[in-house]
């Protein structure tokens, strides 16, 4: 099958023996590349190639102007806006938020050769009507609002003049100028043959330019459409050409060329619903692998057309490895490259810095960036870690440049390149960005990473461009405006792929597919809001005024997409139309009306297959983890046993052996983080340390009311001291930390009040505080040393009875400390606190075997309950007889259970089995 471009070349060649005087004009550069290939294929001898232009390049030649970049337009427009009136002006940052819409409108006004004076006077009148007021006098807000609309014509005129003085123009201005310069261009090129190929939707300037050339110069035009759409009076695919047939005098006298009849030919159309965008990419990969497996050469005639161009990245990552050649006609957006986020974060660091410094999360996130690791990590591998760890260890919630300079070692890259004391100006921060790029280039020299060098080169150009603009125009005065401009530039800049444009699989956007024919076509994201794009009206010009003046509305935009969609189907043999089955407000809605139109077409629906594809799910049933013990693991257990099992580590094993394995044997603790608000374990440490210092003078003494009252006056100072020690440089002057400080204060004051009440009734003598104990255990089945260690918060004597006290800042229930006879204390984690108390009792009794004692917990959340004592009960439920004394019998029974537990841990044949927690 011949492609459309091959058919055109054949017909033109039959008419004209020489070719160097021919000028081909096509809708896109991509079509021009394929046209050159078609010409080369048809050549049987050497000749001078004809001139081939995209319509935009051709119009640029006719006009004598160059296209201004979007950024240049934005700066010139703002410069013009500043000169317009003496009224209060928007900052560049605010202006850039609405300027893009205005630029788009100016562009359309000129492309459609609209009478600007008439449009702007109508626009101002409409705004006057829609914002009327019953009051005779207008408010200042109303006057400013109406003045804006009345000044638009002047802004438009002066903006265009400013661009023309520079030899530049936005697209619309270039088109309007080309229309006025057309006659002189034709006089300079009298011998040229102009051939227009494959046009459909044309703006007014294009329409008049092409018509004028057709009527006044040696020329021809070929339309790329199927007769089926042209003859159907309501089908949108033929909407524009039917309009041209009615309004062009040239077409009334000359027959249409290029019209084909391929659409109703033999085709296989598959409409496939796939959930979510990534699944579409994966399904596309499955289709490509299938095509490659059946006949690899077919991939040369295959195109993946992306309805939503944001799918480019997942599509590229999904292409099967077996496909060697891929040509990507779309640029890779610069804002998707990792460097984009680096400089975005860098600018944001200084935008969000306050008088206290940088917030720790911003700094840690920035230091975690892969390019910062390269910058700080290769020459001096400790720098990033050191800064990172110091921030976490010292609990710096806010960090200053001086603090970073103090902790940094080595060549001080961070403080010299990244963290500056003064907030830099836009000019200065752009220089910092260029310095970062230069430093990264030096670090990457040894890596031979060509792709990263390309990234750096593009960003080097980007920041040089920004520097020139900031130098030339003095209205970028703050970093927020600079960040907005940086993001604006990134959104329009792309990194072009290198490849052979005519080889292998083609991946392209919808507009790049114009005039190109493929045997197999895969179209993705055919959903409402994407194909077609819907009724969005991002314009200052109301719909009615657009219709009146001949400007395009969503109706025309829908017709454009309909044409491109059906144009892809015309000559294709195998078509896969993919849509997202999960409607999403932001990413497009239900399946496109184009699919529904296709399905309701009686002439075509017999060859259409509908299906829904979903990822194959291999459900994995979660099975509880089991760690078999080997010799190396046994060595870890031996080392831990020698150091000493703590009551907490043994409780971890009772709760879940895997927790014990990971935390106590492997030492995998929670990740160290900055505590913005004080954590529970830090809270408990402060309470313990304060009580230890407060009660240390009383060791060996009987507590008296007088001593306790006196100690109350020391509480505030001690709490503050231990907050500073434990919470390091954490701020406790405000917010939740101030509340936590006062809660600790109240806890300890309430505790002393409770003690004062107790000493009035009982004689209490302090024996020890925070006492470290370690005892050797004799476990019969274990042939290596086993120790039990722990720290007893308090040992005292109440009316002659020894008492072991454990402080808990959390909540403790009495029933967690009461064991029914015959119930194993090591089988239920509910009794973990009772288990810990008996461990402490066992350790103390090993040194003082003659003593009978009591053990209990003081819960600071339940101080009114006093000491919650360990007890054994003869039965469960009410009326049980409780025994709080811990004697030799109780300890002997506990020792048996403790030995069995440690024996299980140390047994090589008993794996660590995970429990459902």
């Amino acid at each position: 099958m011949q492609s459309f471009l091959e058919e055109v070349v054949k017909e033109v060649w039959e008419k004209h023996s020489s070719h160097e005087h021919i000028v081909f004009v096509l809708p896109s550069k991509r079509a021009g590349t394929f046209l050159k290939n078609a010409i080369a294929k048809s050549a049987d001898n050497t000749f001078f190639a004809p001139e081939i232009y995209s319509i935009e390049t051709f119009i640029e030649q006719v006009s004598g102007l160059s296209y201004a970049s979007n950024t240049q337009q934005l700066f010139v427009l703002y410069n013009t806006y500043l000169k317009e009136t003496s009224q209060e002006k928007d900052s560049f940052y605010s202006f850039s938020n609405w300027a893009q819409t205005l630029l788009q409108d100016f562009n359309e006004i000129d492309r459609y050769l609209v009478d600007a004076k008439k449009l702007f006077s109508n626009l101002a009148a409409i705004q006057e009507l829609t914002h009327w007021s019953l009051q005779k006098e207008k408010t200042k807000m109303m006057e400013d609002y109406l003045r804006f609309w009345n000044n638009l014509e002047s802004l438009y005129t002066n903006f265009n003049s400013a661009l023309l003085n520079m030899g530049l123009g936005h697209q619309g201005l270039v088109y309007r100028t080309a229309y006025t310069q057309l006659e002189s261009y034709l006089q300079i090129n009298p011998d040229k043959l102009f051939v227009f190929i494959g046009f459909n939707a044309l703006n007014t300037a294009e329409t008049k330019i092409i018509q004028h050339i057709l009527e006044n110069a040696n020329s021809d035009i070929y339309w790329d459409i199927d007769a089926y759409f042209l003859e159907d009076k309501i089908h949108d695919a033929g909407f524009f050409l039917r309009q041209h047939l009615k309004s062009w005098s040239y077409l009334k006298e000359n027959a249409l060329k290029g019209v084909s009849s391929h659409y109703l030919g033999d085709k296989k159309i598959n409409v496939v619903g796939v959930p979510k965008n990534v699944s579409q990419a994966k399904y596309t990969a499955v289709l490509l692998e299938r095509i490659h497996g059946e006949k690899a050469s077919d991939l040369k005639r295959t195109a993946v057309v992306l309805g939503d161009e944001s799918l480019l990245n997942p599509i590229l990552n999904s292409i099967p490895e077996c496909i060697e050649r891929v040509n990507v006609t779309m640029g890779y957006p610069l804002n998707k490259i990792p460097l984009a986020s680096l400089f975005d974060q860098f600018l944001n660091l200084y935008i969000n810095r306050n008088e206290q410094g940088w917030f720790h999360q911003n700094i840690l996130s920035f230091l975690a960036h892969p390019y910062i690791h390269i910058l700080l990590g290769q020459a001096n591998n400790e720098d990033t870690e050191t800064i990172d760890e110091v921030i976490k260890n010292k609990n710096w919630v806010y960090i200053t440049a001086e603090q970073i300079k103090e902790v940094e070692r080595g060549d001080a890259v961070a403080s010299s390149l990244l963290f500056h004391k003064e907030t830099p100006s836009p000019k200065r921060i752009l220089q910092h960005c260029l310095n970062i790029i230069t430093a990264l280039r030096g670090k990457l020299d040894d890596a031979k990473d060509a792709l990263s060098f390309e990234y750096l080169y593009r960003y080097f150009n980007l920041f040089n461009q920004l520097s020139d603009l900031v130098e030339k125009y003095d209205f970028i005065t703050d970093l927020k405006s600079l960040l907005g401009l940086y993001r604006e530039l990134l959104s329009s800049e792309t990194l072009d792929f290198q490849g052979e444009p005519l080889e292998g699989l083609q991946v392209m956007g919808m507009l790049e597919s114009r005039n190109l024919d493929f045997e197999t076509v895969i179209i993705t994201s055919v959903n409402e809001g994407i194909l077609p794009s819907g009724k969005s009206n991002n314009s200052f010009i109301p719909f009615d005024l657009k219709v009146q003046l001949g400007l395009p509305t969503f109706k025309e935009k829908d017709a454009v997409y309909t044409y491109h969609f059906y144009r892809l189907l015309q000559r294709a043999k195998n078509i896969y139309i993919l849509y997202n089955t999960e409607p999403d407000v932001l990413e497009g809605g239900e399946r496109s009306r184009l699919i529904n139109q296709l399905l309701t077409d009686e002439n075509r629906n017999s060859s259409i297959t509908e299906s829904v594809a979903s990822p194959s799910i291999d459900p994995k049933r979660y099975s509880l983890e089991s760690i078999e013990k080997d010799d190396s693991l046994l060595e870890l257990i031996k080392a831990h046993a020698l150091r000493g099992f703590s009551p907490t580590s043994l409780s971890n094993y009772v709760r879940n052996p895997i927790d014990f394995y990971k935390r106590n044997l492997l030492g995998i603790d929670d990740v160290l983080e900055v505590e913005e608000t004080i954590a529970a374990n830090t809270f408990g440490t402060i309470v313990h340390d304060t009580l230890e210092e407060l009660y240390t003078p009383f060791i060996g003494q009987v507590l008296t009311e007088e001593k306790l009252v006196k100690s109350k006056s020391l509480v505030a100072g001690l709490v503050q001291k231990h907050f500073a020690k434990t919470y390091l440089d954490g701020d406790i002057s405000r917010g939740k930390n101030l509340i936590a400080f006062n809660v600790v204060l109240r806890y300890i004051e309430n505790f002393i009040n409770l003690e004062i009440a107790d000493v009035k009734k009982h004689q209490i003598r302090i024996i020890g505080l925070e006492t470290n104990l370690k005892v050797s255990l004799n476990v019969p089945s274990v042939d290596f040393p086993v120790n039990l260690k722990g720290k007893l918060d308090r040992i005292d004597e109440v009316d002659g009875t020894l008492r072991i006290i454990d402080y808990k800042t959390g909540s403790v229930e009495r029933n967690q400390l009461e064991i029914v006879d015959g119930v194993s204390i090591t089988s239920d984690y509910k009794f973990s606190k009772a288990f810990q108390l008996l461990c402490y009792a066992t350790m103390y009794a090993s040194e003082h075997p003659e003593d009978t004692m009591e053990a209990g917990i003081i819960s600071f959340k339940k101080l009114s309950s006093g000491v919650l004592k360990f007890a054994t009960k003869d039965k469960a439920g009410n009326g049980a007889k409780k025994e709080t004394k811990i004697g030799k019998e109780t300890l002997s029974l506990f020792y048996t259970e403790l030995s069995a537990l440690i024996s299980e841990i140390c047994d090589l044949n008993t794996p660590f089995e995970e429990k459902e927690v």
Side-chain angles (χ1 to χ4, degrees):
M1 180 197 76
Q2 273 192 323
S3 70
F4 165 69
L5 292 176
E6 288 169 345
E7 288 174 1
V8 171
V9 168
K10 182 183 177 185
E11 191 170 327
V12 172
W13 263 217
E14 285 172 356
K15 285 186 182 178
H16 306 280
S17 54
S18 63
H19 312 119
E20 58 269 20
H21 68 293
I22 300 175
V23 177
F24 288 107
V25 183
L26 300 103
S28 69
K29 288 181 181 178
R30 174 65 38 188
T33 304
F34 277 78
L35 178 65
K36 281 180 191 171
N37 185 52
I39 291 170
K41 278 185 180 177
S42 67
D44 50 12
N45 60 343
T46 305
F47 58 86
F48 285 103
E51 296 176 59
I52 300 174
Y53 299 112
S54 69
I55 184 67
E56 287 192 6
T57 311
F58 177 68
I59 295 289
E60 186 180 24
Q61 271 209 335
V62 174
S63 70
L65 297 174
S66 296
Y67 291 109
S69 71
N70 194 55
T71 310
Q72 285 176 305
Q73 293 177 44
L74 192 63
F75 273 79
V76 173
L77 182 61
Y78 188 63
N79 209 31
T80 310
Y81 166 76
L82 290 178
K83 295 174 183 175
E84 273 302 290
T85 148
S86 59
Q87 300 298 321
E88 186 181 339
K89 304 290 195 305
D90 280 357
S91 69
F92 182 78
Y93 179 74
S94 301
F95 168 83
S96 61
N97 290 326
W98 55 266
Q100 291 300 338
T101 304
L102 196 61
L103 284 172
Q104 190 175 304
D105 284 341
F106 286 176
N107 185 27
E108 283 206 339
I109 288 166
D110 283 339
R111 287 197 310 149
Y112 284 84
L113 305 179
V114 171
D115 182 342
K117 190 175 184 65
K118 182 180 177 184
L119 183 145
F120 288 119
S121 64
N122 277 325
L123 190 55
I126 289 168
Q127 299 305 324
E128 181 90 42
L129 280 172
T130 54
H131 289 84
W132 60 276
S133 170
L134 292 173
Q135 298 173 358
K136 188 174 182 181
E137 297 296 323
K138 293 184 174 70
T139 65
K140 183 179 183 303
M141 185 184 287
M142 290 169 65
E143 286 177 350
D144 289 346
Y145 181 79
L146 294 172
R147 189 182 295 111
F148 169 79
W149 294 103
N150 286 315
N151 286 343
L152 276 183
E153 184 186 350
S154 170
L155 183 61
Y156 160 82
T157 306
N158 292 332
F159 170 58
N160 278 359
S161 299
L163 285 175
L164 288 171
N165 290 336
M166 299 163 70
L168 299 171
H170 53 79
Q171 190 192 51
L173 183 58
V174 173
Y175 274 58
R176 193 186 279 271
T177 307
Y179 177 60
T180 59
Q181 298 294 321
L182 184 58
E183 196 58 53
S184 58
Y185 173 81
L186 292 177
Q187 287 172 7
I188 297 168
N189 298 282
D191 300 325
K192 299 284 187 186
L193 167 66
F194 298 95
V195 181
F196 296 93
I197 301 176
F199 287 95
N200 175 51
L202 299 168
N203 58 52
T204 307
E206 288 170 338
T207 300
K208 294 200 171 185
I209 288 168
I210 292 173
Q211 282 193 77
H212 186 87
I213 292 173
L214 289 173
E215 291 170 3
N216 298 283
N218 187 14
S219 55
D220 214 339
I221 186 164
Y222 291 85
W223 305 94
D224 185 8
I225 197 166
D226 198 280
Y228 183 78
F229 308 125
L230 196 58
E231 290 160 9
D232 187 335
K233 293 182 180 180
I234 59 169
H235 203 296
D236 271 358
F239 174 79
F240 291 104
L241 192 46
R242 288 195 299 272
Q243 282 191 335
H244 300 334
L245 283 168
K246 290 176 186 175
S247 58
W248 288 24
S249 55
Y250 175 85
L251 293 180
K252 290 175 182 175
E253 297 170 7
N254 296 276
L256 288 179
K257 294 181 180 179
V259 179
S260 62
S261 300
H262 296 289
Y263 178 67
L264 292 179
D266 187 28
K267 299 181 192 304
K268 290 180 180 176
I269 302 174
N270 298 277
V271 176
V272 186
V274 188
K276 292 298 183 184
N277 282 340
V278 173
S279 294
Q280 290 187 70
K282 298 298 181 188
Y283 186 75
T284 300
V286 171
L287 293 176
L288 293 174
E289 200 161 10
R290 189 186 303 161
I291 294 165
H292 181 272
E294 289 172 359
K295 192 177 180 184
S297 60
D298 283 353
L299 287 169
K300 292 182 181 179
R301 297 180 293 276
T302 299
V304 176
V305 181
L306 308 184
D308 179 1
E309 295 191 4
S310 67
L311 265 186
L312 177 61
N313 197 20
I315 287 285
L316 291 180
N317 281 291
S318 301
I319 290 174
E321 290 183 11
C322 59
I323 298 176
E324 295 177 359
R325 289 180 175 270
V326 179
N327 181 54
V328 183
T329 66
M330 306 151 66
Y332 191 79
L334 272 190
N335 57 6
K336 302 290 186 191
I337 290 169
L339 269 175
S341 61
L342 171 68
F343 293 111
D344 200 297
Q345 281 181 287
F346 183 59
L347 289 168
N348 265 312
L349 275 181
Y350 290 95
I351 291 171
N352 296 322
R353 180 165 69 173
N354 60 26
E355 65 279 359
Q356 293 173 275
W358 291 290
F359 188 54
H360 71 276
Q361 283 185 344
N362 296 342
I363 290 282
L364 293 175
S365 174
F366 184 63
L367 288 172
H369 196 283
Y371 278 100
I372 295 299
H373 275 289
I374 292 170
L375 195 60
L376 302 180
Q378 283 187 2
N380 189 346
N381 201 33
E382 294 181 353
D383 277 359
T384 310
E385 271 191 357
T386 303
I387 299 169
D388 195 10
E389 285 184 358
V390 169
I391 290 170
K392 291 173 181 176
N393 285 326
K394 293 205 170 187
N395 225 66
W396 288 342
V397 177
Y398 286 93
I399 302 117
T400 63
E402 290 87 346
Q403 286 173 304
I404 289 175
K405 194 168 186 177
E406 283 172 20
V407 303
E408 191 179 20
R409 296 203 297 267
D411 50 7
V413 174
S415 51
S416 61
L417 263 183
L418 307 172
F419 304 107
H420 306 281
K421 185 177 178 182
E422 302 296 330
T423 298
S425 65
K427 287 181 186 177
R428 191 80 193 123
I429 204 163
L430 287 171
Q431 187 56 50
H432 291 326
C433 292
L434 288 167
N435 292 342
I436 291 169
I437 289 172
T438 306
L440 277 170
R441 184 178 179 277
K443 295 286 184 183
L444 290 167
D445 261 339
D446 300 331
K448 307 294 182 191
D449 187 346
L451 189 59
S452 289
F453 272 118
E454 182 67 26
Y455 292 164
L456 289 174
Y457 174 71
R458 289 304 300 270
Y459 275 85
F460 182 76
N461 286 343
L462 180 76
F463 284 115
N464 275 318
Q465 185 184 347
L466 278 168
S467 296
D468 291 343
L469 290 167
V470 170
E471 191 71 41
K472 185 176 179 182
Y473 299 97
D474 59 2
F475 40 75
I476 302 290
T477 55
D478 63 294
L479 297 183
K480 205 170 181 184
S481 298
L482 182 66
L483 180 61
L485 180 60
Y486 167 73
R487 287 173 175 169
E488 182 64 43
L489 266 174
L490 275 187
S491 66
S492 57
E493 293 283 328
T494 56
L495 191 66
D496 293 331
F497 290 91
Q498 293 182 346
E500 174 50 57
L502 302 168
E503 287 294 322
L505 171 72
Q506 301 287 325
V507 178
M508 57 181 60
M510 186 60 82
L511 292 178
E512 279 93 16
S513 69
R514 288 174 291 187
N515 298 169
L516 308 184
D517 298 305
F518 302 95
E519 284 200 5
T520 302
V521 176
I522 302 167
I523 312 174
T524 68
S525 304
V526 187
N527 285 75
E528 282 297 310
I530 299 174
L531 281 176
S533 59
K535 294 186 180 181
S536 58
N537 185 34
N538 189 22
S539 170
F540 286 123
I541 306 169
F543 179 83
D544 291 344
L545 190 56
K546 281 191 168 190
V547 173
Q548 183 66 33
L549 296 174
L551 287 168
T553 63
F554 64 85
K555 167 66 178 169
E556 283 73 24
K557 288 176 185 173
D558 282 2
V560 168
Y561 278 102
T562 305
Y563 169 79
H564 291 319
F565 177 76
Y566 279 98
R567 162 71 191 69
L568 277 168
L569 309 189
Q570 276 180 206
R571 290 175 170 80
K573 301 291 185 189
N574 302 296
I575 300 147
Y576 299 90
I577 300 169
L578 312 185
Y579 67 92
N580 185 354
T581 57
E582 311 300 309
D584 189 299
V585 175
L586 296 176
E587 298 174 357
E590 60 194 11
R591 74 179 183 182
S592 173
R593 71 191 84 160
L594 298 175
I595 294 176
N596 294 332
Q597 183 181 19
L598 200 59
L599 292 169
T600 53
D601 186 343
E602 293 178 358
N603 297 310
R604 192 72 276 179
N605 58 16
S606 60
S607 59
I608 299 173
T609 305
E610 276 191 273
S611 61
V612 173
S614 60
S616 57
I617 297 170
D618 182 16
K620 292 183 179 177
R621 299 193 64 178
Y622 180 74
S623 56
L624 296 175
E625 199 173 353
S626 178
I627 308 292
E628 295 291 337
K629 293 171 187 167
D630 56 17
D631 291 339
S632 59
L633 184 51
L634 192 60
E635 289 304 315
L636 285 177
I637 295 169
K638 285 180 181 179
H640 186 78
L642 187 62
R643 288 193 303 271
F645 289 100
S646 68
T648 304
S649 68
L650 291 170
S651 294
N652 283 342
Y653 183 84
V654 171
R655 179 179 180 271
N656 188 354
I658 295 296
D659 284 351
F660 172 81
Y661 165 71
K662 290 178 179 176
R663 295 183 65 177
N664 301 104
L665 294 182
L666 300 184
I668 303 172
D669 288 323
D670 293 335
V671 177
L672 181 63
E673 292 179 342
V674 173
E675 291 177 24
E676 289 175 58
T677 56
I678 189 164
N681 57 344
T682 309
F683 190 96
T685 303
I686 293 166
V687 171
H688 279 71
D689 290 352
T690 304
L691 286 173
E692 180 184 5
E693 189 164 349
L694 203 60
Y695 275 74
T696 296
F698 306 146
I699 292 176
Q701 298 179 19
V702 174
L703 292 180
T704 65
E705 184 178 354
E706 183 185 352
K707 290 175 183 176
L708 291 168
V709 169
K710 189 177 178 181
S711 69
K712 274 183 75 175
S713 62
L714 305 174
V715 171
L718 289 175
V719 170
Q720 194 155 6
K721 171 187 169 182
H722 288 290
F723 245 105
K725 186 184 84 173
T726 306
Y727 198 43
L728 295 168
D729 295 343
D731 182 18
I732 59 166
S733 63
R734 58 189 167 184
K736 291 182 179 178
N737 291 338
L738 180 60
I739 295 170
F741 172 80
N742 283 292
V743 168
V744 173
L745 207 63
R746 184 62 60 85
Y747 272 0
I748 293 172
E749 285 175 350
N750 289 346
F751 174 72
I752 294 173
N753 290 336
L754 188 71
E755 291 273 84
I756 290 169
D758 277 352
V759 298
K760 289 177 182 178
K761 302 173 190 175
H762 307 283
Q763 183 182 6
I764 301 174
R765 185 167 66 88
I766 303 296
I767 296 172
L769 297 170
E770 301 295 330
T771 307
N772 285 307
L773 293 176
K774 186 172 184 179
V775 299
S776 177
L777 300 178
N778 179 24
V779 181
S781 61
V782 177
D783 59 358
F784 49 82
V786 175
N787 294 313
L788 184 66
K789 66 174 183 178
K791 183 186 279 190
L792 277 65
D793 291 341
R794 170 168 158 171
I795 306 166
D796 63 15
E797 196 176 79
V798 181
D799 298 334
T801 302
L802 187 75
R803 198 169 62 164
I804 290 171
I805 301 295
D806 193 19
Y807 299 137
K808 298 288 185 190
T809 48
S811 182
V812 180
E813 299 296 331
R814 195 179 295 276
N815 63 6
Q816 295 173 330
L817 302 173
E818 297 176 349
I819 308 297
V820 179
D821 286 344
V823 173
S824 172
I825 199 169
T826 59
S827 63
D828 190 345
Y829 182 71
K830 172 188 172 184
F831 299 118
S832 61
K833 293 177 178 63
F835 174 84
Q836 290 175 22
L837 287 176
L838 287 178
C839 283
Y840 293 133
T842 299
M843 285 186 278
Y844 188 81
S846 68
E847 294 185 7
H848 307 85
E850 71 285 348
D851 294 334
T852 301
M853 67 192 84
E854 290 184 343
I857 287 176
I858 293 176
S859 169
F860 283 87
K861 282 194 175 178
K862 293 193 171 186
L863 276 175
S864 58
S865 302
V867 178
L868 301 170
K869 295 180 182 179
F870 168 82
T872 55
K873 300 193 295 185
D874 60 348
K875 64 175 183 177
N878 295 327
K881 188 177 178 183
K882 299 180 185 178
E883 177 55 65
T884 59
K885 294 283 189 293
I886 301 173
K888 291 182 180 178
E889 186 184 351
T890 303
L891 290 176
S892 175
L893 289 169
F894 174 71
Y895 195 90
T896 304
E897 292 203 31
L898 180 63
S899 297
L901 182 68
I902 292 173
S903 178
E904 183 181 309
I905 293 171
C906 300
D907 182 13
L908 186 63
N909 298 316
T910 305
F912 290 124
E913 298 277 2
E914 184 180 8
K915 289 182 183 176
E916 288 189 11
V917 179

